[in-house]
Amino acid sequence: MQLRGASSAKNLYRKILQPRIPIHATPCDIFINHRGIDTKKNIAGLLHDHLFRMGLRPFLDSRNMKPGDRLFDKINPAIRNCKMGFAVFSPNYCDSYFCLHELALLIESKKRVIPIFCDVKPSQLRVMDYGTSSAEQLRRFSLALEEAKYTVGLTFDTLTGDWSHFLNTATDAVINNLAELEAGNSS
């Protein structure tokens, strides 16, 4: 049944979205914002690979960057040019300046963001002041985090969750959101 749903989603994407994507299209459809030590080798990596096999163009730093690339030179344009994003919140997410910067840039760029709460509840997410960020940066990060926490998203428990079901649900969410965005752009 789930394979049928994934196949239907892929066919919907091919029929509705692919013919309208120009050759000079954005470098990625979906930016995957995540905390590498928590999620790169499981949920973020699997999500990237699943979306890629569906014919989409996800951006994941470990898959789209090479040694020597400057982080902000690759990540900032990928965020600004993507159609939407996933924010994979995890226990160590808020400890990362880069995660919070990427989230703030997604929100400030008015991108649609689907939160994924992976092994963490929204109420557990807080921006902490470790003395490394300015007051303005902390304010940006806090505003973006609050907006994402109050956006309907997906939850996943890596110990007890059904990985296949999660990947299909996340893919369906992407397809539906991209179709909505495309419909909004064409009207």
Side-chain angles (χ1 to χ4, degrees):
M1 176 88 175
Q2 287 179 2
L3 288 176
R4 187 175 188 206
S7 179
S8 297
K10 191 173 185 178
N11 289 335
L12 174 67
Y13 174 78
R14 285 183 177 146
K15 287 179 184 175
I16 294 176
L17 298 178
Q18 268 187 332
R20 294 189 179 141
I21 296 173
I23 293 172
H24 55 79
T26 61
C28 72
D29 297 308
I30 306 105
F31 185 90
I32 303 173
N33 166 247
H34 70 290
R35 179 72 163 128
I37 61 172
D38 289 340
T39 64
K40 188 176 307 250
K41 292 184 180 178
N42 54 48
I43 199 165
L46 289 170
L47 187 58
H48 172 278
D49 294 348
H50 190 71
L51 294 169
F52 184 79
R53 281 191 301 277
M54 295 289 295
L56 296 166
R57 294 168 299 174
F59 183 97
L60 184 67
D61 56 0
S62 63
R63 302 285 190 353
N64 294 78
M65 296 177 66
K66 63 186 180 319
D69 284 346
R70 297 182 48 83
L71 290 173
F72 293 124
D73 290 349
K74 294 290 182 178
I75 289 174
N76 289 359
I79 291 170
R80 286 190 185 102
N81 294 320
C82 72
K83 294 179 181 179
M84 60 177 292
F86 269 121
V88 183
F89 296 109
S90 58
N92 295 299
Y93 180 93
C94 290
D95 293 338
S96 169
Y97 171 87
F98 292 103
C99 288
L100 295 168
H101 167 76
E102 291 169 6
L103 178 64
L105 191 54
L106 280 163
I107 299 296
E108 292 162 357
S109 300
K110 307 283 188 222
K111 302 299 179 179
R112 187 172 296 189
V113 176
I114 299 174
I116 298 173
F117 301 100
C118 180
D119 298 331
V120 68
K121 295 177 183 172
S123 61
Q124 296 172 301
L125 298 170
R126 289 183 183 77
V127 173
M128 303 300 288
D129 184 359
Y130 296 112
T132 57
S133 298
S134 69
E136 176 58 26
Q137 287 173 323
L138 292 171
R139 188 183 71 72
R140 277 181 71 228
F141 299 162
S142 293
L143 288 172
L145 187 60
E146 288 305 307
E147 183 165 333
K149 284 168 50 173
Y150 292 103
T151 301
V152 175
L154 306 170
T155 59
F156 190 71
D157 181 325
T158 56
L159 295 178
T160 61
D162 180 335
W163 289 91
S164 178
H165 176 72
F166 169 76
L167 290 172
N168 287 327
T169 300
T171 301
D172 287 347
V174 167
I175 298 295
N176 291 334
N177 277 278
L178 287 175
E180 274 183 35
L181 292 169
E182 184 65 25
N185 289 340
S186 63
S187 56

